[in-house]
Amino acid sequence: MNSWPGKLLRVDLTRGTWAVEDIDPQLARDYIGGRGLGTKILYDEVDPAVDPLGPDNKLILLTGPLTATGAPASARYMAITKSPLTGAIASSNSGGYFPAELRYAGFNGIILEGASDKPVALWIKDGEVELKPADDLWGKTSEETEDAIRDQIEDDWEAKATRIACIGPAGENMARLACIINDTHRAAGRSGVGAVMGSKKLKAIVVRGTQGVQTADFPEFKAAVKTAMQKLASGPVTSQGLPTYGTAILVNIINECGILPTHNFQKGMFAGASKISGESIAENIMTRNKGCFACSIACARMTVIEEGKYAGHGEGPEYETVELMGADCGIDDLAPIAKANYLCNFYGLDSISAACTVATAMELYEKGYIPREDAGMDLSFGNPDALVGLIEQMGKGEGLGKIAMHGSWFLANHYGHTELSMDVKKQEIPAYDPRGVQGMGLTYATSNRGGCHVRGYTIANEVLGVHEKLDPLVTEGKAATVKVFQDLTALVDSSGLCLFVTLTPGFGFDDMQAMIKGATGFDYTVHEVIVASERIWNLEKLFNMKAGFTRADDTLPKRLLEEPLTEGGPKGQVCRLHEMLPEYYELRGWDENGVPKPELLERLGLQA
Amino acid sequence: MKKILVDYKKCTGCRQCETACSASHFDGEVNPEKSRIRVYIDEENSLFHPVISGPFTNAHCTSKNIVIMDGVEYDECVVCRASCPGRPWFFEPGTKIALKCDFCGDPPDPQCVAICAHGALQLIDDLGVSRIRKQKKKTA
């Protein structure tokens, strides 16, 4: 029997009750799953003006029709909610083993509503559900939480096979940068989804499943998977670059392009770049590379810092983290960066936003806006103890961390200098300076969840030339590129696959359509899945509009629009967003204020 | 005779072999619990070890060896191929029937080997134990 659309678990944390529901097949067809279906559920059930940390917000965890099916990189789930960081829609993605285990346990997703008044943990085993008190887990880090939960399971093999998603102390403290950690090292990282879980006093979700996942037409599905896997195996990024050096292979490449954010985006090149590169990670701190469930790319790095005050072990750092904790904070030593990254995973902080926030704090401090007595330490750029120290404070909600744990905008706002926060819609911008890669500027400005690179990763074409090589300094044609990347990403995120499959030459909507069709049994055409991906993007947009977002929010920090870069290829450049945004709106079928036109909404079936 | 060469040092812990095995033996059902190959995962020590199911035994061992891999001591169960009452691997959930690797395909084309992207599993001609050892030395 086909496992999609399958079942959803709806948990009312206020009452401590739950119900099992069938996913409406028509909704599943129109919104694919994962990010798309989660957005639809959130849009239908939650007022976009709701207090994100109040009991009326819902947290929706959804896999996609390809999750756990053995399709390449089919390890992912999405956490969808209203973000406490941005106030916009949040949809954060994570892999590892947890999402697949959830499907094997009989549920394709979980809707969490209400709020418990005491800490609880949600236990799921093969369709059976239990809410257990979790007072003893409250206050524990992600690693300690996993250990404590496994200790409660009598059979060692069973304990080992159990998969856990949880929040750390940051989520408990409702830090707006809190993430949901699964499998200790994987994070549904961005937009503060962990704070929403914390507001519901849900510490952990414990999953074990022995049921299988059945695709609708296995021969058809298998053929589509084979084609996709062959493409992955022949793409240099997915078969060599990422397996060997991980995402941090980008450090040297991006530095050479002059777009490596340095000292809180004051510069685009960093002298110590090679010391924090993927090559350096592989040579100095990596023990193994690792794959998420059913993923041949195996980009994860298992790393260890053997000795010294930064000793520790875990996974990562990934490119964004190593770049932002490194160059953006002026630090060229892997040990403190790896340590700070481990701490982010243990406390449950989004390492991208946390790193950007430290960089902002450093600039605020150097400019004299954060007084020494508030900082409690020397927050100068390049001080590794400041990076590790402030991240620790943010994780624990102590000292300056009490403010910084809410992100760079809240920190900069506290000290009256929001112009030094490098964010879009209050969410921190990742590690590509859009002044030297124009399409990314448009991606950041128009991302429905605020500053984010994985909503339309045009670096693939503008820098890496995966599908075609584009000039990064040109704005012409970028609106169309951004739109296609955004739509394809919406589809991938909804399917349960990892975005990295799109870093394969020739991988596109047709590959996705073939796999999704085989898995779901819906006779999708390529046209239908493209329309579905547009529908998803536009529904997110509608949610944000109802939450109060306007054209004025589709912008970048003043620094990136007005202060030119000073060195390298993009010397003298700013991000020329104004040249791209109107064209983008037009291509999307939106009016000049970025509002979807009635005929578009009708075409997508989104009319009121 | 064909053999499967398992090189655990190349395994990335992705468990794609588990999905391929179960799907090919159970009419498209992807279910690691029904797979005749399981990956032992020890994240703390960065160890992944694929284990392919062998014969069924109806009792626990009365004594066991300790296996050292990458300098870490492991219980022999970690690499043992038997389906036995001491470990939940290789028993079909529900029926509890013991599952044994059948070198699927004719000629043998084990689906776990076919899907492994990192060379942790390879189908080789039977070289004899000594030949394998020699080859390893040559490449080392």
Side-chain angles (χ1 to χ4, degrees):
Chain A
M1 205 189 77
N2 184 4
S3 308
W4 193 265
K7 302 208 178 294
L8 277 182
L9 174 64
R10 186 184 290 271
V11 182
D12 181 339
L13 289 152
T14 306
R15 294 195 181 87
T17 57
W18 58 87
V20 179
E21 298 174 6
D22 291 320
I23 298 178
D24 179 341
Q26 192 57 48
L27 288 189
R29 175 162 189 156
D30 291 346
Y31 293 91
I32 311 290
R35 177 174 153 197
L37 187 57
T39 300
K40 175 62 177 166
I41 295 170
L42 189 75
Y43 189 82
D44 286 350
E45 297 188 9
V46 173
D47 175 2
V50 76
D51 170 11
L53 297 175
D56 292 334
N57 194 12
K58 298 186 184 183
L59 176 61
I60 301 163
L61 312 180
L62 261 185
T63 64
L66 300 181
T67 308
T69 58
S74 56
R76 318 295 293 190
Y77 88 104
M78 299 288 299
I80 301 111
T81 188
K82 178 174 172 170
S83 164
L85 177 65
T86 63
I89 193 161
S91 50
S92 300
N93 183 296
S94 181
Y97 303 121
F98 170 84
E101 198 71 24
L102 180 62
R103 282 203 82 186
Y104 296 139
F107 295 111
N108 290 334
I110 307 171
I111 300 175
L112 300 159
E113 43 191 52
S116 171
D117 50 8
K118 283 190 189 127
V120 287
L122 178 64
W123 289 63
I124 301 170
K125 187 175 177 184
D126 280 331
E128 285 178 29
V129 181
E130 197 180 348
L131 273 171
K132 293 189 190 176
D135 305 85
D136 54 328
L137 300 176
W138 208 248
K140 287 192 185 330
T141 65
S142 60
E143 195 178 45
E144 291 163 355
T145 302
E146 289 223 359
D147 287 348
I149 287 170
R150 291 212 166 84
D151 284 346
Q152 292 176 37
I153 302 169
E154 220 168 278
D155 184 287
D156 286 349
W157 291 95
E158 200 56 27
K160 216 165 167 44
T162 299
R163 300 293 164 192
I164 297 156
C166 68
I167 53 168
E172 296 171 9
N173 295 335
M174 288 184 265
R176 288 182 174 89
L177 301 189
C179 57
I180 302 171
I181 296 276
N182 61 279
D183 300 292
T184 315
H185 309 292
R186 313 306 305 173
R190 306 220 66 199
S191 314
V193 292
V196 177
M197 192 157 150
S199 74
K200 302 191 176 309
K201 286 259 187 331
L202 179 63
K203 177 67 179 173
I205 302 168
V206 184
V207 181
R208 174 77 177 111
T210 64
Q211 303 171 20
V213 165
Q214 191 84 49
T215 44
D217 183 337
F218 183 63
E220 185 186 342
F221 174 73
K222 195 180 171 189
V225 166
K226 197 172 172 187
T227 306
M229 287 193 75
Q230 279 166 348
K231 286 189 183 177
L232 253 69
S234 61
V237 178
T238 44
S239 72
Q240 293 159 32
L242 287 173
T244 313
Y245 296 118
T247 51
I249 190 175
L250 284 166
V251 173
N252 284 328
I253 300 169
I254 298 298
N255 190 46
E256 274 167 36
C257 295
I259 53 171
L260 194 79
T262 301
H263 289 208
N264 199 30
F265 286 78
Q266 295 183 74
K267 293 187 289 178
M269 294 183 93
F270 184 54
S274 67
K275 287 200 207 163
I276 58 167
S277 64
E279 293 85 338
S280 175
I281 289 174
E283 195 175 317
N284 296 308
I285 64 171
M286 177 170 132
T287 54
R288 292 291 296 269
N289 65 330
K290 181 182 169 197
C292 290
F293 188 84
C295 180
S296 61
I297 302 172
C299 67
R301 321 276 88 185
M302 304 182 82
T303 56
V304 64
I305 303 295
E306 299 275 5
E307 51 195 23
K309 60 180 169 177
Y310 304 124
H313 68 92
E315 272 184 39
E318 300 288 337
Y319 167 71
E320 304 295 333
T321 309
V322 80
E323 198 291 322
L324 294 165
M325 289 181 174
D328 209 31
C329 293
I331 293 165
D332 64 2
D333 181 1
L334 278 178
I337 295 169
K339 181 69 179 180
N341 180 58
Y342 302 151
L343 291 178
C344 282
N345 286 348
F346 293 154
Y347 290 121
L349 279 172
D350 169 16
S351 62
I352 295 179
S353 284
C356 277
T357 304
V358 174
T360 300
M362 286 175 162
E363 189 173 356
L364 286 166
Y365 177 82
E366 285 203 345
K367 294 213 154 76
Y369 302 143
I370 297 183
R372 172 85 206 196
E373 59 271 24
D374 281 17
M377 60 182 112
D378 173 16
L379 279 175
S380 305
F381 281 110
N383 180 5
D385 289 333
L387 168 68
V388 176
L390 186 51
I391 295 271
E392 179 116 36
Q393 286 188 353
M394 288 160 74
K396 291 179 173 165
E398 294 171 352
L400 187 63
K402 240 184 218 166
I403 306 160
M405 71 183 191
H406 296 309
S408 65
W409 187 89
F410 286 88
L411 178 69
N413 186 51
H414 184 83
Y415 291 102
H417 289 276
T418 49
E419 76 281 3
L420 297 185
S421 169
M422 296 298 117
D423 71 82
V424 172
K425 301 181 176 78
K426 299 198 182 89
Q427 176 159 285
E428 293 73 8
I429 291 175
Y432 313 89
D433 193 317
R435 285 171 288 190
V437 52
Q438 298 288 333
M440 281 310 278
L442 184 61
T443 284
Y444 292 154
T446 58
S447 156
N448 285 326
R449 67 167 183 175
C452 167
H453 58 303
V454 288
R455 281 298 171 274
Y457 191 67
T458 61
I459 293 291
N461 280 4
E462 291 187 282
V463 173
L464 304 174
V466 170
H467 305 279
E468 59 174 320
K469 182 72 181 84
L470 300 176
D471 183 343
L473 301 182
V474 163
T475 55
E476 202 188 341
K478 291 296 166 64
T481 305
V482 167
K483 178 180 177 296
V484 171
F485 274 80
Q486 286 177 339
D487 288 347
L488 180 58
T489 303
L491 182 61
V492 172
D493 284 348
S494 302
S495 74
L497 296 197
C498 172
L499 181 61
F500 285 175
V501 295
T502 64
L503 295 177
T504 309
F507 189 97
F509 284 105
D510 49 339
D511 297 279
M512 292 304 300
Q513 175 264 347
M515 287 190 282
I516 296 172
K517 179 166 176 264
T520 61
F522 297 133
D523 58 347
Y524 286 116
T525 59
V526 175
H527 176 72
E528 187 178 344
V529 295
I530 293 175
V531 172
S533 64
E534 269 190 88
R535 183 181 296 123
I536 293 162
W537 188 268
N538 280 280
L539 190 63
E540 290 176 340
K541 174 77 179 178
L542 293 181
F543 183 94
N544 286 354
M545 282 165 47
K546 286 191 178 177
F549 286 84
T550 65
R551 177 185 176 137
D553 298 297
D554 289 352
T555 189
L556 294 170
K558 211 170 138 199
R559 169 170 288 166
L560 307 179
L561 296 171
E562 293 178 8
E563 294 173 24
L565 281 168
T566 54
E567 43 188 339
K571 185 176 173 179
Q573 297 280 340
V574 294
C575 184
R576 307 192 300 283
L577 182 64
H578 63 280
E579 293 176 12
M580 300 178 281
L581 197 58
E583 188 191 352
Y584 171 84
Y585 283 169
E586 202 180 323
L587 281 171
R588 277 255 169 245
W590 300 351
D591 69 17
E592 68 277 14
N593 290 316
V595 176
K597 292 179 185 169
E599 54 267 34
L600 171 75
L601 295 181
E602 198 162 324
R603 177 167 74 81
L604 300 175
L606 292 175
Q607 65 274 34
Chain B
M1 194 177 84
K2 295 281 186 187
K3 285 187 173 180
I4 296 174
L5 179 66
V6 179
D7 185 349
Y8 76 91
K9 284 181 185 284
K10 289 183 180 162
C11 178
T12 63
C14 82
R15 301 168 62 198
Q16 185 75 305
C17 50
E18 298 179 9
T19 72
C21 177
S22 57
S24 78
H25 287 89
F26 290 90
D27 202 20
E29 181 186 339
V30 175
N31 185 356
E33 297 294 320
K34 290 186 176 178
S35 172
R36 295 146 206 248
I37 179 169
R38 299 301 301 268
V39 181
Y40 180 83
I41 296 168
D42 175 8
E43 298 201 43
E44 204 176 319
N45 292 302
S46 306
L47 178 117
F48 308 110
H49 200 310
V51 181
I52 297 172
S53 63
F56 167 73
T57 63
N58 60 4
H60 293 267
C61 294
T62 51
S63 61
K64 270 187 261 182
N65 300 321
I66 297 290
V67 182
I68 298 180
M69 288 184 285
D70 298 341
V72 182
E73 290 181 5
Y74 291 91
D75 192 297
E76 192 183 356
C77 291
V78 163
V79 293
C80 178
R81 298 188 54 206
S83 36
C84 93
R87 188 183 54 186
W89 287 358
F90 311 135
F91 292 102
E92 190 183 331
T95 66
K96 298 294 167 199
I97 291 170
L99 305 168
K100 184 168 180 286
C101 173
D102 55 4
F103 261 74
C104 51
D106 182 23
D109 177 28
Q111 293 301 296
C112 55
V113 175
I115 205 142
C116 181
H118 295 277
L121 305 170
Q122 291 173 55
L123 191 65
I124 58 166
D125 289 313
D126 186 5
L127 301 169
V129 174
S130 57
R131 290 267 304 278
I132 294 173
R133 203 183 289 148
K134 256 186 219 158
Q135 268 202 341
K136 239 189 151 177
K137 259 188 195 160
K138 243 187 248 168
T139 52

Short mmCIF file of all heavy atoms in Angstrom, two decimals, chain A residues 1 32 93 108 127 170 176 224 252 270 274 304 338 353 388 485 490 512 517 519 535 554 557 563 567 574 582 597:
data_model
loop_
_atom_site.label_atom_id
_atom_site.label_comp_id
_atom_site.label_asym_id
_atom_site.label_seq_id
_atom_site.Cartn_x
_atom_site.Cartn_y
_atom_site.Cartn_z
N MET A 1 0.84 -1.21 0.00
CA MET A 1 0.00 0.00 0.00
C MET A 1 0.87 1.26 0.00
O MET A 1 1.86 1.32 0.71
CB MET A 1 -0.89 -0.02 1.24
CG MET A 1 -2.17 0.78 1.08
SD MET A 1 -3.06 0.92 2.65
CE MET A 1 -2.11 2.17 3.50
N ILE A 32 2.50 18.96 -2.66
CA ILE A 32 3.59 17.97 -2.67
C ILE A 32 3.84 17.31 -1.32
O ILE A 32 3.78 16.10 -1.19
CB ILE A 32 4.92 18.60 -3.19
CG1 ILE A 32 4.69 19.38 -4.50
CG2 ILE A 32 5.98 17.52 -3.35
CD1 ILE A 32 4.40 18.56 -5.72
N ASN A 93 14.85 23.14 7.49
CA ASN A 93 15.04 21.81 6.92
C ASN A 93 16.15 21.07 7.64
O ASN A 93 17.16 21.66 8.00
CB ASN A 93 15.39 22.03 5.44
CG ASN A 93 15.56 20.76 4.66
OD1 ASN A 93 16.45 19.97 4.94
ND2 ASN A 93 14.72 20.56 3.67
N ASN A 108 3.72 10.62 8.58
CA ASN A 108 4.43 11.46 7.63
C ASN A 108 4.65 12.86 8.18
O ASN A 108 5.36 13.66 7.57
CB ASN A 108 3.68 11.50 6.30
CG ASN A 108 3.76 10.16 5.59
OD1 ASN A 108 4.71 9.40 5.81
ND2 ASN A 108 2.78 9.85 4.77
N GLY A 127 3.35 3.90 15.44
CA GLY A 127 1.96 4.34 15.51
C GLY A 127 1.44 4.56 16.92
O GLY A 127 0.36 5.12 17.10
N ALA A 170 18.82 26.74 24.63
CA ALA A 170 18.42 27.94 23.88
C ALA A 170 16.94 27.91 23.52
O ALA A 170 16.24 28.91 23.62
CB ALA A 170 19.27 28.08 22.61
N ARG A 176 15.45 33.57 20.09
CA ARG A 176 14.92 33.65 18.73
C ARG A 176 15.86 33.00 17.70
O ARG A 176 15.52 32.90 16.55
CB ARG A 176 14.63 35.10 18.35
CG ARG A 176 13.42 35.67 19.06
CD ARG A 176 13.15 37.10 18.60
NE ARG A 176 11.91 37.62 19.16
CZ ARG A 176 11.82 38.24 20.32
NH1 ARG A 176 12.91 38.43 21.05
NH2 ARG A 176 10.66 38.70 20.76
N ALA A 224 13.36 6.13 -12.06
CA ALA A 224 13.59 7.57 -11.90
C ALA A 224 14.74 7.82 -10.93
O ALA A 224 15.58 8.71 -11.13
CB ALA A 224 12.32 8.27 -11.41
N ASN A 252 37.67 28.87 -0.06
CA ASN A 252 38.68 29.43 -0.95
C ASN A 252 38.06 29.99 -2.24
O ASN A 252 38.48 31.04 -2.73
CB ASN A 252 39.73 28.37 -1.30
CG ASN A 252 40.70 28.14 -0.14
OD1 ASN A 252 40.99 29.07 0.62
ND2 ASN A 252 41.17 26.92 0.01
N PHE A 270 39.48 37.64 2.94
CA PHE A 270 40.03 37.35 4.26
C PHE A 270 41.38 36.68 4.11
O PHE A 270 41.51 35.65 3.44
CB PHE A 270 39.06 36.44 5.02
CG PHE A 270 39.48 36.14 6.43
CD1 PHE A 270 39.75 37.17 7.33
CD2 PHE A 270 39.58 34.82 6.88
CE1 PHE A 270 40.11 36.89 8.65
CE2 PHE A 270 39.94 34.54 8.19
CZ PHE A 270 40.21 35.57 9.07
N SER A 274 42.42 30.37 3.74
CA SER A 274 42.84 28.99 3.49
C SER A 274 42.95 28.19 4.78
O SER A 274 42.78 26.97 4.79
CB SER A 274 44.17 28.96 2.73
OG SER A 274 45.18 29.48 3.55
N VAL A 304 37.11 16.43 15.17
CA VAL A 304 37.56 16.39 16.56
C VAL A 304 38.66 17.43 16.76
O VAL A 304 39.50 17.65 15.88
CB VAL A 304 38.04 14.97 16.94
CG1 VAL A 304 39.25 14.55 16.12
CG2 VAL A 304 38.36 14.87 18.43
N ALA A 338 35.42 25.35 15.44
CA ALA A 338 34.79 24.04 15.64
C ALA A 338 34.12 23.98 16.99
O ALA A 338 32.99 23.50 17.13
CB ALA A 338 35.84 22.94 15.50
N SER A 353 23.04 32.18 12.16
CA SER A 353 22.59 33.42 12.79
C SER A 353 23.44 33.77 14.01
O SER A 353 23.75 34.94 14.25
CB SER A 353 21.11 33.30 13.21
OG SER A 353 20.28 33.42 12.07
N VAL A 388 33.80 32.04 21.19
CA VAL A 388 33.36 30.90 22.00
C VAL A 388 32.59 31.39 23.23
O VAL A 388 31.54 30.84 23.59
CB VAL A 388 34.57 30.03 22.41
CG1 VAL A 388 34.13 28.90 23.33
CG2 VAL A 388 35.25 29.46 21.16
N PHE A 485 15.35 29.18 -9.50
CA PHE A 485 15.98 28.52 -8.34
C PHE A 485 15.02 28.47 -7.15
O PHE A 485 14.96 27.47 -6.44
CB PHE A 485 17.28 29.23 -7.96
CG PHE A 485 18.49 28.75 -8.73
CD1 PHE A 485 18.74 29.18 -10.01
CD2 PHE A 485 19.38 27.85 -8.16
CE1 PHE A 485 19.84 28.74 -10.73
CE2 PHE A 485 20.48 27.39 -8.87
CZ PHE A 485 20.72 27.83 -10.16
N ALA A 490 11.67 25.17 -3.74
CA ALA A 490 10.40 24.94 -3.05
C ALA A 490 9.93 23.50 -3.30
O ALA A 490 9.41 22.83 -2.41
CB ALA A 490 9.35 25.94 -3.53
N MET A 512 12.69 15.62 -10.64
CA MET A 512 11.83 15.67 -9.46
C MET A 512 10.45 15.09 -9.78
O MET A 512 9.89 14.30 -9.02
CB MET A 512 11.68 17.12 -8.96
CG MET A 512 12.94 17.73 -8.39
SD MET A 512 13.65 16.80 -7.03
CE MET A 512 12.31 16.81 -5.85
N LYS A 517 6.27 11.41 -8.96
CA LYS A 517 5.16 10.68 -9.60
C LYS A 517 5.23 9.20 -9.22
O LYS A 517 4.23 8.60 -8.81
CB LYS A 517 5.24 10.85 -11.11
CG LYS A 517 4.18 10.12 -11.90
CD LYS A 517 4.16 10.64 -13.35
CE LYS A 517 3.17 9.87 -14.20
NZ LYS A 517 3.78 8.77 -14.95
N ALA A 519 6.63 7.86 -6.66
CA ALA A 519 6.43 7.64 -5.23
C ALA A 519 4.99 7.84 -4.81
O ALA A 519 4.49 7.12 -3.95
CB ALA A 519 7.34 8.59 -4.44
N ARG A 535 3.00 27.72 -6.59
CA ARG A 535 1.90 27.84 -5.63
C ARG A 535 2.45 27.91 -4.21
O ARG A 535 2.02 28.73 -3.39
CB ARG A 535 0.98 26.61 -5.79
CG ARG A 535 -0.26 26.65 -4.90
CD ARG A 535 -1.10 25.38 -5.11
NE ARG A 535 -1.62 25.28 -6.45
CZ ARG A 535 -1.40 24.24 -7.28
NH1 ARG A 535 -0.69 23.20 -6.87
NH2 ARG A 535 -1.89 24.24 -8.49
N ASP A 554 11.38 43.87 1.37
CA ASP A 554 12.19 43.16 0.37
C ASP A 554 13.44 43.97 0.05
O ASP A 554 13.59 44.51 -1.05
CB ASP A 554 11.38 42.92 -0.92
CG ASP A 554 10.30 41.88 -0.73
OD1 ASP A 554 10.26 41.23 0.35
OD2 ASP A 554 9.48 41.71 -1.64
N PRO A 557 20.49 45.19 3.89
CA PRO A 557 21.11 46.19 4.76
C PRO A 557 21.74 47.30 3.92
O PRO A 557 22.26 47.05 2.83
CB PRO A 557 22.19 45.39 5.50
CG PRO A 557 21.74 43.97 5.45
CD PRO A 557 20.99 43.83 4.16
N GLU A 563 27.59 50.89 0.41
CA GLU A 563 29.05 50.93 0.61
C GLU A 563 29.73 49.96 -0.34
O GLU A 563 29.54 48.75 -0.22
CB GLU A 563 29.40 50.53 2.06
CG GLU A 563 28.92 51.49 3.12
CD GLU A 563 29.16 50.94 4.53
OE1 GLU A 563 30.05 50.09 4.73
OE2 GLU A 563 28.42 51.37 5.45
N GLU A 567 38.05 45.55 -2.44
CA GLU A 567 39.15 44.79 -3.04
C GLU A 567 38.64 43.64 -3.90
O GLU A 567 37.46 43.32 -3.91
CB GLU A 567 40.10 44.27 -1.95
CG GLU A 567 39.39 43.71 -0.76
CD GLU A 567 40.28 43.35 0.43
OE1 GLU A 567 41.49 43.15 0.27
OE2 GLU A 567 39.72 43.23 1.52
N VAL A 574 28.38 47.69 -5.46
CA VAL A 574 27.35 47.52 -4.44
C VAL A 574 26.31 46.56 -5.03
O VAL A 574 26.41 46.19 -6.19
CB VAL A 574 26.66 48.87 -4.08
CG1 VAL A 574 27.65 49.80 -3.42
CG2 VAL A 574 26.03 49.48 -5.32
N PRO A 582 12.13 45.07 -9.63
CA PRO A 582 10.90 45.26 -10.43
C PRO A 582 10.69 44.16 -11.46
O PRO A 582 9.58 43.66 -11.64
CB PRO A 582 11.14 46.62 -11.12
CG PRO A 582 12.14 47.31 -10.28
CD PRO A 582 13.03 46.24 -9.72
N LYS A 597 -0.89 39.30 -8.32
CA LYS A 597 -2.08 39.78 -9.03
C LYS A 597 -3.19 38.73 -8.99
O LYS A 597 -2.89 37.53 -8.93
CB LYS A 597 -1.72 40.10 -10.48
CG LYS A 597 -0.79 41.30 -10.63
CD LYS A 597 -0.45 41.51 -12.10
CE LYS A 597 0.58 42.63 -12.25
NZ LYS A 597 1.12 42.69 -13.63
#
